[in-house]
Amino acid sequence: MTLTLTSPVTALRGVGAQKAAALAKAGIYTIMDLVRHYPRAYQNRSDIISVAEAALICRTQESVPPAAFILTVAGEPKVSMIRRGMTLLKFKAFDESGMLEVTYFNQPFLKDVFHTGGVFRFFGRPALGAGRVQLNSPIHELYSPEIPLPPIVPVYPLSQGLSQKLMQSLVREALKVAATELFDHIPRPLLEEKGICTLSYALRNIHLPNDTDALETAKKRLAFDEMFLLSLAMSSQKKKREADGAPIFSDRDVSPLLSCMPFELTGAQKRAVSDISSDVAKTTPMCRILCGDVGSGKTAVAAAALYMAAKNGYQAALMAPTEILAKQHYADLTELFGKLRMNVALLCGSMTAANKKKVRESLASKDGPKIVVGTHALLSDGVDFYNLGLVITDEQHRFGVNQRAALKGKSKGCHSLVMSATPIPRTLSLVMFGDLDVSRLDEMPPGRQKVGTFCVDESYRARLLGFIRKQRDEGHRTYIVCPAIEEAPKKAEDPEEMANLLLIPDLYDSEPPLKAAVQYAEELSKTLPDLRIGFIHGKLKAPEKDRVMEAFVKGELDVLVSTTVIEVGVNVPEATLMVVENAERFGLSQLHQLRGRVGRGRAKSYCILVSDSKNEVSKRRLDIMCKTNDGFKVAEEDLRLRGPGDFFAKGGEFRQHGGIEMPFSSSISDTSVAEAAVETALAIIKEDPDLSSPRHALLSHIVSSMYESSKDTIS
Ligand code: ADP
Ligand code: MG
């Protein structure tokens, strides 16, 4: 039987029921799953160092990285019993520069492997002991110049019952199948034009790269794929929606509404309203994203759109991510539209069943209210609108899943506007949303105060404490954000584990230790005993979180120490100081969101970024925060300095877009890959909008299965 990519893993030699079960735990069922089971790190065993070099490194460096050696065994290994049931195997080995000692714990059987004169490649962390370089339990491979060893060795995520060796050999077998069975979903000429390698090259080299260049080329292709497919999926979804059509709102004069607002629209708001106005003048449904910082006045723009729909006899819905926000919108809009004698309805979970039923019934009738506000969930199921013409989704900071949901389901045949508080650079908005139209509120309403932003290091600690006390003395409150919940456990000491960290520089001793919210709050309570200090983090139970948050809102706490859970949706006008610890750990856009939590009242507000990082890029990034309060500038600069990776990384702004993880995009620092991905996607969509050409059959299949697999996650 010939193997194909969809063959089960049990078709491979050596994989029985037990191993298949272990593989299943890691999510691996087929040969293709093996090919797509990417290493989580790599060991570069090609940089061979000499014993003399190792001695020098051990003497001069505080932390010694793992290294590779080619050594000849100098004498037969000796096995000794060091404690009951524990053995130590020892032998000396040498190269032309000197001799070192190799030891293994509890592996007495290795005495049959190492014999005098045998040559091995060792990989481990050298250390000094008894005046000599030692290697404790290094990885060993028999070395012979005729049969080259792989220079870079993949390290796989494992589940119980799997070993690195097993994974390596299974993946090797799977790659042989892929070499003949795999088709590239991107036409070759397009790849060549963008300087992107083929899929088969990428998959081979993501597992078994010959050098770091090949590995980078492979990662680039896989990152390209993630962004390309997302962009394509979003664009093709838009094309599908366009076919549904939408009602024309012919009367688009919003001046009666504007005259009821207590302010004049900013230039940016006017531009957004006019973008919307020209969208709804057509039978092609509007697919627009409205991006603007917190406080930029998105609600007024939304109100104008709701007004256009209602005025033309169509129903319009505004969906908010939380009930609190829905109620806030409802209160604002009821007041505004009340002046025009237009009714607004509210539909949310905490209402009685009878009330909900009443609202649902009124929305199904011809004479019911034209404007309704509710939470995403409530509006997406169970409501039969009489004639819904517009759906507005307020996303706050969340992208993705909901945004996609907003584009289907209830908004079928409707105009759609999505509001987002994340300033997003143009290139990335094309990745996230394809060719959706974007309006940007890049101008704040007048009179908004700037939050004074400063970057300080540990030497400022005492003054910082004084400043926190001063805020309290003036009747204000302080937020302190820490990157971790509890202090990190000691770093792995296992040599293999340490070796694995080698190629993930972020994890390897590169930055100052993390401040942790829980310990931090305890210590702060000791240093500032007269202040009332609380803490909050994502692992607290919801009622406890609410209790602490409420205490802070009410002014029963002076200081709130937290992880980033406060990012979404809290409004405490009395908070005037935002302190961010280990600021180098946060993406700039995230820092910007955090800063947006203060400066909401009348008092002058401050954001203090504490960082001891010596890294130049980190320093430059934090400097940008001090120089500008404009979220779009912050985001563009972040993209320029760190590349798109951060936006897709864990804790980044756009993580889990539509339930799709983007591991490779999160590791690239080169913006040109994102640009190439977007250009390629747009070129394909332009030429073949519904991907119906036979050339795009595989692509079409992949794109539609992206929707299938993310369906369940849509709320
Ligand atoms: P967001 O974009 O965060 O949703 P909002 O729509 O809630 O912002 O607006 C924030 C505040 O700014 C509100 O109090 C609103 O009344 C006010 N506002 C909005 N637009 C203007 C404007 N053009 N001039 C003055 N104030 C405005
Ligand atoms: Mg808002």
Side-chain angles (χ1 to χ4, degrees), residues 18-80:
Q18 214 173 350
K19 280 183 185 141
L23 287 165
K25 259 190 255 157
I28 301 167
Y29 301 92
T30 64
I31 307 257
M32 190 60 189
D33 293 339
L34 275 171
V35 174
R36 292 284 190 180
H37 189 68
Y38 302 124
R40 65 181 170 86
Y42 301 85
Q43 291 169 346
N44 189 344
R45 299 185 193 166
S46 65
D47 278 338
I48 308 292
I49 67 169
S50 69
V51 174
E53 281 169 314
L56 184 69
I57 293 171
C58 288
R59 258 180 232 114
T60 52
Q61 289 183 17
E62 217 170 274
S63 78
V64 181
F69 299 83
I70 290 173
L71 302 172
T72 307
V73 177
E76 291 302 306
K78 290 200 181 68
V79 181
S80 52

Side-chain angles (χ1 to χ4, degrees), residues 62-98:
E62 217 170 274
S63 78
V64 181
F69 299 83
I70 290 173
L71 302 172
T72 307
V73 177
E76 291 302 306
K78 290 200 181 68
V79 181
S80 52
M81 191 77 89
I82 45 172
R83 233 185 290 152
R84 199 213 296 249
M86 271 172 88
T87 61
L88 184 65
L89 179 144
K90 253 191 206 181
F91 60 89
K92 293 196 172 68
F94 64 90
D95 61 17
E96 63 274 20
S97 78

Side-chain angles (χ1 to χ4, degrees), residues 293-295 297-299 325 328-329 394 396 419 421:
D293 260 347
V294 170
K298 292 185 288 295
T299 316
L325 283 161
Q328 198 176 312
H329 279 314
D394 190 353
Q396 284 302 98
M419 305 199 285

Side-chain angles (χ1 to χ4, degrees), residues 336-572:
L336 179 63
F337 285 102
K339 295 176 187 165
L340 296 161
R341 300 185 179 284
M342 293 167 79
N343 277 342
V344 179
L346 174 69
L347 191 56
C348 63
S350 67
M351 287 164 45
T352 62
N355 272 339
K356 276 189 249 184
K357 187 160 171 260
K358 228 167 81 189
V359 174
R360 287 209 180 100
E361 276 167 11
S362 72
L363 291 173
S365 90
K366 183 173 179 293
D367 308 311
K370 292 291 171 215
I371 298 168
V372 57
V373 180
T375 48
H376 292 170
L378 276 169
L379 282 177
S380 43
D381 54 55
V383 188
D384 273 318
F385 287 96
Y386 170 69
N387 66 348
L388 189 64
L390 167 72
V391 174
I392 303 181
T393 319
D394 190 353
E395 285 291 326
Q396 284 302 98
H397 308 327
R398 297 189 302 165
F399 275 106
V401 176
N402 295 309
Q403 194 261 325
R404 189 173 300 175
L407 291 179
K408 48 199 281 180
K410 273 283 168 275
S411 63
K412 194 168 158 60
C414 291
H415 296 290
S416 157
L417 179 70
V418 175
M419 305 199 285
S420 159
T422 307
I424 174 173
R426 207 168 289 278
T427 309
L428 294 187
S429 83
L430 286 165
V431 173
M432 314 303 295
F433 306 127
D435 62 351
L436 290 191
D437 303 306
V438 180
S439 296
R440 307 173 133 209
L441 295 185
D442 49 7
E443 181 185 347
M444 282 292 191
R448 215 39 71 77
Q449 58 155 306
K450 277 209 169 99
V451 176
T453 306
F454 303 93
C455 200
V456 303
D457 61 17
E458 278 304 323
S459 67
Y460 190 84
R461 183 65 61 193
R463 278 199 282 165
L464 180 60
L465 293 173
F467 196 55
I468 293 170
R469 177 174 275 133
K470 183 164 169 273
Q471 300 304 314
R472 195 279 314 260
D473 291 346
E474 291 174 1
H476 305 318
R477 284 164 230 166
T478 296
Y479 286 112
I480 301 177
V481 173
C482 301
I485 298 174
E486 279 170 287
E487 249 149 48
K490 283 251 173 331
K491 280 210 172 119
E493 277 305 318
D494 171 40
E496 185 170 5
E497 189 56 24
M498 286 303 266
N500 296 344
L501 297 181
L502 234 197
L503 287 169
I504 317 174
D506 251 13
L507 292 177
Y508 184 68
D509 286 350
S510 62
E511 293 285 1
L514 296 186
K515 293 275 187 308
V518 177
Q519 284 88 348
Y520 189 101
E522 277 167 17
E523 278 163 34
L524 198 65
S525 305
K526 285 182 206 143
T527 25
L528 298 172
D530 51 324
L531 267 64
R532 297 162 302 168
I533 296 165
F535 69 87
I536 190 170
H537 56 72
K539 284 199 185 150
L540 284 183
K541 295 235 157 61
E544 177 65 7
K545 246 190 273 185
D546 291 347
R547 198 186 59 73
V548 178
M549 203 60 228
E550 209 175 301
F552 187 64
V553 172
K554 283 189 186 151
E556 293 162 9
L557 290 173
D558 304 306
V559 177
L560 183 66
V561 181
S562 86
T563 53
T564 51
V565 288
I566 57 157
E567 246 191 292
V568 180
V570 264
N571 188 16
V572 183

Side-chain angles (χ1 to χ4, degrees), residues 92 113 153 182 259 268 341 348 388 485 498 585 608 700:
K92 293 196 172 68
V113 173
V153 178
L182 188 79
S259 63
R341 300 185 179 284
C348 63
L388 189 64
I485 298 174
M498 286 303 266
R585 290 282 165 157
I608 298 189
S700 171

Side-chain angles (χ1 to χ4, degrees), residues 1 3 32 66 83 132 214 220 316 340-342 347 382 409 420 445 463 483 570 623 628 648 675 698 702:
M1 186 186 88
L3 292 179
M32 190 60 189
R83 233 185 290 152
R132 188 190 282 288
K220 197 167 144 180
L340 296 161
R341 300 185 179 284
M342 293 167 79
L347 191 56
S420 159
R463 278 199 282 165
V570 264
D623 213 37
T628 180
F648 299 109
E675 280 160 6
L698 184 54
I702 292 174

